[in-house]
Amino acid sequence: MNHVPQTETAHLSDADLDQVSGGTIALGAALLASDGGFGAGLHAEAGCIGLTTGLGAATAHTVA
């Protein structure tokens, strides 16, 4: 007589595992500068939630 507990197993895909574990986290940032202007941006993503924000400015100048 076998008294060892038996457990049934199932296969989970990578997508299913991401949902169970909270998904993956991705971060990205950029900083750009040019003559008279600059810009900065940030992107964060976790699972099905994403957030993107940015800031930019420019100046006009003339040469006499």
Side-chain angles (χ1 to χ4, degrees):
M1 190 169 187
N2 188 354
H3 295 289
V4 177
Q6 300 295 312
T7 303
E8 187 174 333
T9 59
H11 175 75
L12 294 176
S13 68
D14 288 342
D16 291 336
L17 288 174
D18 284 344
Q19 294 300 322
V20 171
S21 68
T24 58
I25 297 174
L27 296 174
L31 180 60
L32 307 170
S34 65
D35 187 28
F38 76 93
L42 174 67
H43 178 78
E45 186 175 318
C48 62
I49 298 172
L51 172 66
T52 302
T53 185
L55 172 69
T59 60
H61 62 284
T62 58
V63 177

